[in-house]
Amino acid sequence: MSTLPVYRWRLAPEGYATRRQLRALGLRPGGQDVAAQLERPRRRRGPLVAYLYRIDQARPVRPMTPARRAALAKAMLARRTCPVCRRDGGYCIPRSLGMCVTCHDNPRSSALAA
């Protein structure tokens, strides 16, 4: 069993990147295993951990196809549609409420819509 090299915050060598850094470069891990670990110490809790991937083994991001774009648009519409009044709220409906803020704040008007 091999252990991962651990680097302190901001002291990782060149050639390693986090997932977000890879995405900013237009890359993805591409199935490679985590190559190293970055730790940021905290006072009263355990350290924050970020996993690093090798940039030279990363692959380009797959392009967005029309079918993927349509599926993503449909999923986002479902997240924005209130199940009570069936209107597009223009924002993602909070899962904690289960309905749009208007229906939550006015329970009488949402009962009339149902």
Side-chain angles (χ1 to χ4, degrees), residues 10-63:
R10 298 186 188 266
L11 295 178
E14 294 291 323
Y16 290 103
T18 62
R19 281 182 177 269
R20 286 188 180 198
Q21 291 168 338
L22 286 175
R23 181 58 91 160
L25 296 172
L27 301 172
R28 61 185 171 96
Q32 66 172 304
D33 291 331
V34 175
Q37 185 172 318
L38 193 66
E39 288 189 354
R40 177 180 174 198
R42 296 191 292 181
R43 291 190 179 173
R44 293 187 174 96
R45 294 181 280 179
L48 286 175
V49 176
Y51 297 113
L52 300 173
Y53 299 91
R54 294 186 43 179
I55 295 176
D56 60 346
Q57 293 181 358
R59 294 185 179 156
V61 175
R62 293 184 197 128

Side-chain angles (χ1 to χ4, degrees), residues 7-8 15 19-20 34-35 44 60 66 69 72 76 80 88 95 97 113:
Y7 300 104
R8 291 194 45 100
R19 281 182 177 269
R20 286 188 180 198
V34 175
R44 293 187 174 96
R69 189 178 310 277
L72 183 61
M76 290 306 295
R80 290 191 320 261
D88 183 353
R95 292 180 64 189
L97 300 179

